[in-house]
Amino acid sequence: MKVRRLNHDDYDAVVLLATELDAEERYMRFFTLHPAYIGEWALSLTAPAKGVVALGAFEDGDLIGVANYSELSRSGYAEIAVVVAHEQHHRGVGTALLRTLAEIAKDSGQHRFVADVLFENYAMRRVLSDAGWPISQHRDGSVLSLEVDLDTLTDNTPS
């Protein structure tokens, strides 16, 4: 598996990744069963604005997962999101993407990752847990607000 920044040539692969998700995966990632903005989302990852970093995991030339962060107006905070192809779950793809994203974020002056995750999104919660990161969380109804303190991450974080 190779992890690298996404670019404009990856647009179609990002769209394909999103459209091949099953209904539950689409709902967990996009908070809706039928996101109408997949093209805009793919463009935001493959031609990112300032303050956005988007990575893709590739295997044999195929895109098997993406992760990104977007800097927030609160200095040192970045919102993260991850999606992994259905047949690639439980292989460490999301964890590898997040670890690489964290390295880039720390080098860019970010101190905290935040994410809003549906409470029933056990896959994303597991990815964060598998990364070995200390996570604080706050539940508001069906949504968990998660926060990772990047300053506590060291080279000794489990891999």
Side-chain angles (χ1 to χ4, degrees):
M1 175 176 53
K2 178 182 178 183
V3 174
R4 65 164 172 79
R5 287 184 189 242
L6 294 172
N7 62 57
H8 69 280
D9 292 334
D10 299 315
Y11 177 86
D12 290 338
V14 172
V15 170
L16 182 63
L17 177 70
T19 58
E20 288 186 341
L21 297 173
D22 67 28
E24 180 181 1
E25 292 163 338
R26 275 193 311 277
Y27 181 71
M28 292 298 167
R29 170 57 185 88
F30 299 105
F31 287 44
T32 182
L33 287 174
H34 304 288
Y37 51 86
I38 294 298
E40 292 87 356
W41 171 74
L43 187 60
S44 76
L45 298 178
T46 58
K50 184 177 187 222
V52 175
V53 174
L55 302 176
F58 295 84
E59 191 167 75
D60 298 325
D62 294 327
L63 181 66
I64 59 173
V66 299
N68 67 286
Y69 77 72
S70 300
E71 293 177 6
L72 299 174
S73 59
R74 187 173 179 189
S75 181
Y77 281 71
E79 184 173 21
I80 59 169
V82 178
V83 64
V84 174
H86 178 77
E87 65 278 0
Q88 300 299 325
H89 289 191
H90 310 293
R91 293 192 52 230
V93 175
T95 303
L97 284 163
L98 280 177
R99 286 194 181 134
T100 304
L101 202 61
E103 290 172 18
I104 293 167
K106 286 173 66 174
D107 289 346
S108 299
Q110 300 304 311
H111 299 282
R112 297 196 182 267
F113 275 162
V114 296
D116 286 337
V117 177
L118 291 170
F119 181 77
E120 65 266 25
N121 190 344
Y122 299 108
M124 182 58 181
R125 291 167 52 195
R126 181 170 181 179
V127 165
L128 288 166
S129 174
D130 287 351
W133 298 343
I135 302 167
S136 61
Q137 58 186 356
H138 170 75
R139 185 173 178 180
D140 185 8
S142 64
V143 176
L144 277 178
S145 293
L146 306 173
E147 187 172 310
V148 175
D149 182 351
L150 297 176
D151 294 334
T152 64
L153 306 182
T154 67
D155 293 334
N156 297 330
T157 301
S159 51

